[in-house]
C-alpha cells in the first residue's frame, strides 16, 4: 500500500529557495570578474578599516531604513494580491539567489574566510529580517492571517529592529570581532 504525501506550501517554498541558492551560486561564479569589479556602496565598510562616526551611521541608517521598509512594503503589497502564494515563491527564489550571490562574492574575494565575513556582515540583523520574512510567508500560506493587525505589527517591529541593528551594531560588531579590520 502506497502512502501519498501532499506537497505543502512550505515544501514548495524550500524548493524555490534552494533553486535560488543553486542558481545564485552558479551565476556568481560564472560572472566572478565582473562582480568583483562592481561590488557596490558597502565595499568601503569592509576594506577601509576606518571607524564610522555617528553622522555616517545616521546616514547609513536612513539609507537602510528606506531600503528595508520599501522591501517589506513590496512584500506586503504582494501578500494582498490574488498572486500572493506564487509571488512569495518567487521571492523565496530571489532571496536564495541573492544570499548565494553575496556569499560567493565574499568567498571569491576573501577565500574561505569569506564565509566568516558574510556571517558577521549579516548577524544579528539578518535574523530579524528572516523572522519578518517567515511571518509574512506564514501569513500568505494561511490566507486568513493577512487580515490580522498583529501580523503587520510583527513584521514592522522586526524590520525596524533589523534596520537599527544593521546600521548601528553591525559596524561595531565587525570592528569588535577584528575579522574585517
Amino acid at each position: 500500500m502506497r502512502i501519498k504525501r501532499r506537497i505543502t506550501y512550505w515544501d514548495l517554498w524550500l524548493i524555490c529557495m534552494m533553486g535560488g541558492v543553486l542558481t545564485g551560486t552558479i551565476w556568481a561564479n560564472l560572472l566572478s570578474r565582473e562582480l568583483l569589479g562592481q561590488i557596490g556602496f558597502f565595499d568601503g565598510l569592509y576594506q577601509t578599516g576606518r571607524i564610522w562616526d555617528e553622522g555616517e551611521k545616521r546616514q547609513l541608517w536612513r539609507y537602510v531604513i528606506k531600503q528595508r521598509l520599501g522591501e517589506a512594503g513590496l512584500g506586503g503589497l504582494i501578500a494582498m494580491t490574488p498572486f500572493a502564494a506564487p509571488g512569495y515563491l518567487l521571492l523565496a527564489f530571489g532571496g536564495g539567489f541573492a544570499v548565494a550571490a553575496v556569499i560567493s562574492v565574499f568567498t571569491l574575494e576573501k577565500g574561505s574566510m569569506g564565509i566568516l565575513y558574510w556571517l558577521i556582515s549579516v548577524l544579528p540583523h539578518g535574523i530579524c529580517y528572516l523572522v519578518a520574512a517567515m511571518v509574512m510567508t506564514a501569513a500568505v500560506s494561511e490566507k486568513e492571517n493577512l487580515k490580522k493587525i498583529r501580523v503587520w505589527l510583527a513584521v514592522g517591529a522586526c524590520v525596524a529592529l533589523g534596520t537599527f541593528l544593521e546600521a548601528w551594531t553591525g559596524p561595531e560588531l565587525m570592528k569588535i570581532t577584528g575579522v574585517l579590520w
Side-chain angles (χ1 to χ4, degrees):
M1 179 189 235
R2 283 187 102 158
I3 298 174
K4 290 185 180 180
R5 183 172 184 266
R6 185 179 165 175
I7 295 177
T8 67
Y9 183 78
W10 286 103
D11 293 336
L12 289 173
W13 185 89
L14 188 60
I15 290 168
C16 288
M17 177 69 82
M18 292 291 101
V21 167
L22 180 64
T23 306
T25 302
I26 292 169
W27 178 80
N29 283 294
L30 288 176
L31 298 175
S32 61
R33 275 194 204 120
E34 290 83 6
L35 283 175
L36 290 176
Q38 302 175 9
I39 289 181
F41 175 76
F42 296 108
D43 189 37
L45 181 64
Y46 302 111
Q47 293 181 352
T48 62
R50 190 173 61 77
I51 299 170
W52 288 27
D53 66 16
E54 209 162 306
E56 290 170 319
K57 286 183 184 177
R58 263 192 234 107
Q59 183 181 3
L60 175 63
W61 194 18
R62 280 193 297 275
Y63 174 81
V64 168
I65 206 162
K66 283 194 302 190
Q67 192 79 17
R68 301 299 178 254
L69 286 178
E71 292 165 1
L74 177 65
L77 288 175
I78 291 171
M80 291 186 272
T81 68
F83 305 105
Y88 267 72
L89 294 177
L90 283 174
L91 288 176
F93 180 87
F97 183 93
V99 166
V102 171
I103 291 173
S104 295
V105 167
F106 272 105
T107 54
L108 286 169
E109 212 177 55
K110 306 294 182 190
S112 60
M113 288 296 290
I115 295 170
L116 185 57
Y117 279 55
W118 176 78
L119 278 173
I120 291 170
S121 72
V122 298
L123 293 175
H125 63 275
I127 295 168
C128 295
Y129 299 146
L130 181 63
V131 168
M134 292 292 101
V135 167
M136 285 300 292
T137 303
V140 166
S141 72
E142 303 168 13
K143 295 172 180 104
E144 69 276 351
N145 277 346
L146 288 171
K147 299 172 187 163
K148 297 179 180 167
I149 192 74
R150 68 175 181 246
V151 170
W152 300 104
L153 290 174
V155 169
C158 286
V159 170
L161 178 60
T163 60
F164 176 80
L165 292 172
E166 185 173 356
W168 291 93
T169 63
E172 293 300 317
L173 180 63
M174 289 182 228
K175 182 178 70 176
I176 289 169
T177 58
V179 173
L180 302 180
W181 281 287

